[in-house]
Amino acid sequence: MTKILPFKAVRPAREFAGLVASRSYEDYNEEELKAQLEFNPYSFLHIINPGYKFQHEIGGEKRFGMVKNRYLEFREDCTFIQDELPSYYIYKIHTRDGDCCGIIAAASVEDYENNVIKRHEDTIAHREELFKEYLKVIGFNTEPVLLTYPDDPVINELLEERMRSRPEYEFATANKEIHSLWLIDEPENIERIKQQFAAIEQLYIADGHHRSASSWLLAKESRDQNPDHTGKEAYNFFMSYLISESNLRIFEFSRLIKDLNGHSKEEFLILLDEWFRIENRGIDIYKPSKKHHFNMYLDGEFYSLYLRKHNAKFTDALSELDSYILYEKILKPILGIEDLRYDKRIAYIHGRNDLIELKTRVDSGEFEVGFGMLPAGIEEIKQIADENLTMPPKSTYIEPKLRSGLTIYEF
């Protein structure tokens, strides 16, 4: 049984929505960021980059307070308003690849704590703590955790019914996406959605493991410091975007390695031969079509690597995961990559970018070798979470990616 509640979002006034909404801060290059900050006074980037107002780079805890100040300025100027009634928010993204839509709502930290909301990635303690302190100072959350649930015909019907009406927001972006948002604030529809989610036994984190962990830490601290704690306080919940499994888009990450760890090309291929059937594909671009098949680009040529069947001895869901096989059979023992997060010899390309980028970066001399694989499926991700296992870092790149600043959860 999951607890998914409506909330009173702080959000842009209708006329400002398209101007406020921004991509993730890290998604902008330096020129794009400067243009947004210089020519769009309504961009949410002004809030998360508060030092721009003074033409000064500000970091650390001083930045946290300034983020809150910029946010309060947006509220005082009525760029942001707050809904009077608790609502669920339907968010739809139309792309060239199709549509995806889901519900923005408040998820329970108690469900996270009790593993009703399941995770499949490890988190880093100091990042959890840093983001907890950030949330504590600014007092709001604008990046929802992406949660997924099995397709539900009742929820689908409710969404379809509401989406036949005029959206509260509808705007296009430079990458040819159309973003739309609707409110559901009628008591009878709110109750139907609440009860429908209550009948779902488990939810799975698709993206946002650190955000959910930090929200949980903040809730624990707030609970311990509040002698009148009831469990209904806003800090007991975190903003989430709930999307059905069929709406989820999962891509892989390719791996790029700077050197062969002292091995010659010939020595490296011989070491690979113990675990894989190797076929030189020459200059023909090769992309795997099956699990346990990998592509490799080395010295101007593509190779296919097929895990040898007699070596395919799996003990749990994690041991069958292709990103884990690549790590256990090649990256760690042969190439000496122990730490997938921090080793400076490894880099990643998400599956939204094609193999031409992998080839280009190896041909440039920046990297020596690149590897690719098929993306993990949702059932693999769920099984790993169900077995309380964790994937290697950068195992999945999951969409949709929401725009920041369209719904804000205060606590």
Side-chain angles (χ1 to χ4, degrees):
M1 180 175 177
T2 58
K3 186 182 292 184
I4 302 297
L5 301 183
F7 67 99
K8 299 177 183 179
V10 175
R11 55 186 181 83
R14 186 198 291 265
E15 61 269 28
F16 299 130
L19 293 169
V20 168
S22 72
R23 307 197 307 269
S24 171
Y25 183 80
E26 293 78 13
D27 200 29
Y28 292 88
N29 62 40
E30 188 174 344
E31 292 77 15
E32 287 179 308
L33 186 61
K34 182 179 179 181
Q36 282 288 319
L37 292 170
E38 190 165 341
F39 298 112
N40 181 3
Y42 297 107
S43 174
F44 191 74
L45 294 168
H46 285 283
I47 293 176
I48 54 181
N49 188 23
Y52 181 80
K53 184 175 182 178
F54 305 105
Q55 300 298 308
H56 186 69
E57 191 71 30
I58 298 171
E61 293 187 10
K62 185 181 293 185
R63 174 178 166 268
F64 300 172
M66 292 188 68
V67 167
K68 184 171 184 177
N69 288 342
R70 293 294 88 73
Y71 171 69
L72 292 175
E73 288 171 9
F74 271 56
R75 289 212 62 178
E76 290 162 3
D77 294 342
C78 296
T79 303
F80 284 151
I81 58 174
Q82 185 167 26
D83 288 317
E84 296 182 2
L85 298 173
S87 303
Y88 291 114
Y89 302 86
I90 302 174
Y91 189 165
K92 177 182 175 182
I93 306 174
H94 171 78
T95 73
R96 287 168 288 186
D97 299 327
D99 296 346
C100 59
C101 70
I103 299 175
I104 297 174
S108 166
V109 294
E110 185 179 10
D111 284 349
Y112 176 86
E113 186 174 28
N114 294 332
N115 207 30
V116 174
I117 295 175
K118 297 199 166 193
R119 46 263 195 199
H120 63 266
E121 288 184 7
D122 274 331
T123 50
I124 302 170
H126 77 84
R127 285 185 61 191
E128 290 179 17
E129 189 66 28
L130 179 65
F131 194 59
K132 182 209 75 173
E133 291 301 314
Y134 175 72
L135 293 175
K136 185 177 176 181
V137 172
I138 67 173
F140 65 87
N141 193 331
T142 188
E143 293 190 31
V145 173
L146 184 61
L147 301 178
T148 189
Y149 61 90
D151 283 67
D152 185 290
V154 174
I155 295 175
N156 289 345
E157 184 181 344
L158 282 164
L159 298 187
E160 290 294 335
E161 180 182 338
R162 181 48 50 93
M163 287 190 294
R164 286 193 283 268
S165 64
R166 180 194 179 194
E168 176 71 9
Y169 302 148
E170 186 170 39
F171 59 89
T173 59
N175 61 348
K176 296 186 177 180
E177 294 179 348
I178 297 176
H179 294 250
S180 308
L181 183 136
W182 294 260
L183 278 67
I184 297 178
D185 57 10
E186 308 86 3
E188 63 275 13
N189 284 332
I190 283 178
E191 190 60 28
R192 287 176 70 192
I193 293 174
K194 188 186 301 183
Q195 291 305 317
Q196 206 62 26
F197 276 112
I200 296 174
E201 291 185 3
Q202 295 156 346
L203 300 171
Y204 293 84
I205 298 175
D207 190 28
H209 285 77
H210 281 91
R211 277 169 274 154
S212 48
S214 299
S215 296
W216 171 61
L217 286 176
L218 179 61
K220 285 203 305 179
E221 181 177 297
S222 301
R223 179 179 62 201
D224 293 342
Q225 295 176 355
N226 182 4
D228 299 319
H229 172 82
T230 65
K232 296 181 180 180
E233 296 85 357
Y235 59 70
N236 293 292
F237 300 88
F238 57 94
M239 186 167 65
S240 299
Y241 184 50
L242 295 112
I243 189 167
S244 66
E245 291 171 8
S246 65
N247 270 260
L248 211 58
R249 297 173 186 165
I250 307 173
F251 301 89
E252 75 284 4
F253 276 96
S254 296
R255 273 76 167 132
L256 291 161
I257 313 299
K258 286 189 176 293
D259 58 68
L260 298 182
N261 198 28
H263 302 298
S264 68
K265 173 185 172 181
E266 292 73 21
E267 290 170 340
F268 179 58
L269 291 171
I270 290 171
L271 290 169
L272 290 180
D273 187 72
E274 179 182 356
W275 295 101
F276 300 92
R277 289 179 56 193
I278 305 172
E279 183 176 340
N280 188 325
R281 304 277 179 157
I283 62 173
D284 295 332
I285 293 177
Y286 169 73
K287 186 174 178 64
S289 59
K290 295 181 180 179
K291 275 178 60 67
H292 312 329
H293 289 190
F294 303 84
N295 65 287
M296 179 175 73
Y297 185 69
L298 172 66
D299 194 25
E301 297 177 309
F302 281 93
Y303 294 80
S304 58
L305 308 179
Y306 300 163
L307 183 66
R308 295 186 181 278
K309 291 183 179 179
H310 72 272
N311 285 329
K313 298 174 182 177
F314 306 123
T315 57
D316 53 31
L318 181 61
S319 65
E320 294 193 56
L321 188 70
D322 282 347
S323 61
Y324 183 81
I325 291 170
L326 186 66
Y327 174 66
E328 286 291 317
K329 306 304 183 191
I330 302 178
L331 299 183
K332 183 169 69 170
I334 300 176
L335 294 176
I337 305 290
E338 294 277 349
D339 191 334
L340 293 173
R341 293 185 188 275
Y342 296 115
D343 196 311
K344 294 182 179 179
R345 295 170 55 227
I346 188 170
Y348 302 90
I349 303 172
H350 63 70
R352 266 297 191 189
N353 297 329
D354 59 26
L355 292 174
I356 297 299
E357 181 177 348
L358 182 146
K359 179 181 184 301
T360 300
R361 295 182 72 178
V362 172
D363 288 344
S364 72
E366 182 185 3
F367 296 93
E368 187 80 13
V369 62
F371 299 94
M373 69 204 86
L374 285 180
I378 184 60
E379 292 303 323
E380 286 184 276
I381 294 172
K382 289 168 62 177
Q383 190 174 353
I384 286 170
D386 289 342
E387 294 179 19
N388 295 315
L389 301 170
T390 54
M391 292 181 170
K394 300 293 185 183
S395 287
T396 56
Y397 178 83
I398 296 181
E399 292 185 346
K401 303 293 185 187
L402 277 62
R403 295 273 157 158
S404 296
L406 290 179
T407 59
I408 297 170
Y409 179 78
E410 291 188 341
F411 41 81

